[in-house]
Amino acid sequence: MRTHLGCLLLLLAAGCTHAPPRSDAAASSDAVAARPEDVTTIDGVMRAFYEVVNIAPDEPRQWARDRTLYSPWIHFVAIGKTLEVYDHARFAASTEPLIAGGFREWEIHRTVKRYGNIAHVASTYEARTGLGEGTPGRGVNYLQLYFDGTRWWVTSVVWQSEDEANPIPPELLPASHP
């Protein structure tokens, strides 16, 4: 019995040290290597997370760079009047109409809860479409990350835009923002 338990523990430990298997679709989408400055720190991941979506009208997209931030099983979840769940390819395709005329999104506040090699990031943002006229929209991105010993991977992104029914609470805003 003790031998079986020891073997089981060894098998479990060995399984935990390896990255999960990659699907063919995920492997084929990794044509671009991750930039070390994008993935070796949480700050780097968050900087790249916002940089890749900030584009001028008709500027080339950075979807390949964006993809390097995420685990192969990434899920994007948009909370609004309806719930939308995307993999990376569907997320890129569905946001294309929004960013075609130019898009700016920037972080205004962040809280990080980290334990060992896992982290939860609450990132409050402001965003503008087009040429940046008008009042920016705001919302909160929640990201789940893990560190594999070499780099950080984002495993999920869940966000909700602010509206009258759901104002951003003070603890998710910097002191200078109402």
Side-chain angles (χ1 to χ4, degrees):
M1 174 74 169
R2 220 183 328 183
T3 305
H4 294 296
L5 181 59
C7 289
L8 178 61
L9 290 174
L10 281 173
L11 285 171
L12 287 172
C16 291
T17 62
H18 299 292
R22 300 175 62 96
S23 70
D24 290 339
S28 66
S29 69
D30 288 343
V32 174
R35 297 177 182 181
E37 65 271 19
D38 286 354
V39 296
T40 54
T41 66
I42 293 172
D43 284 339
V45 169
M46 294 309 297
R47 185 186 60 255
F49 179 78
Y50 285 103
E51 282 180 2
V52 298
V53 297
N54 285 289
I55 62 165
D58 300 319
E59 186 175 279
R61 311 302 185 255
Q62 295 187 55
W63 293 125
R65 178 185 178 200
D66 185 58
R67 182 67 187 96
T68 68
L69 304 176
Y70 310 114
S71 67
W73 60 89
I74 183 70
H75 282 89
F76 299 89
V77 181
I79 306 293
K81 291 179 181 163
T82 62
L83 176 102
E84 295 287 334
V85 180
Y86 310 93
D87 62 11
H88 190 264
R90 186 165 172 250
F91 173 74
S94 70
T95 57
E96 193 61 33
L98 173 70
I99 65 175
F103 186 78
R104 285 263 310 130
E105 184 176 74
W106 59 96
E107 184 176 61
I108 60 170
H109 185 71
R110 179 190 318 164
T111 58
V112 177
K113 305 270 188 204
R114 181 176 173 185
Y115 171 72
N117 291 327
I118 59 175
H120 173 80
V121 177
S123 176
T124 306
Y125 64 86
E126 289 185 354
R128 289 188 181 180
T129 57
L131 300 174
E133 295 144 1
T135 305
R138 301 191 310 183
V140 179
N141 290 308
Y142 282 104
L143 290 81
Q144 302 294 320
L145 299 91
Y146 79 94
F147 188 73
D148 69 4
T150 304
R151 59 155 297 170
W152 286 94
W153 295 91
V154 179
T155 62
S156 68
V157 180
V158 180
W159 71 92
Q160 184 165 348
S161 296
E162 182 178 41
D163 58 28
E164 284 187 27
N166 298 289
I168 297 174
E171 64 270 17
L172 293 175
L173 289 169
S176 63
H177 277 69

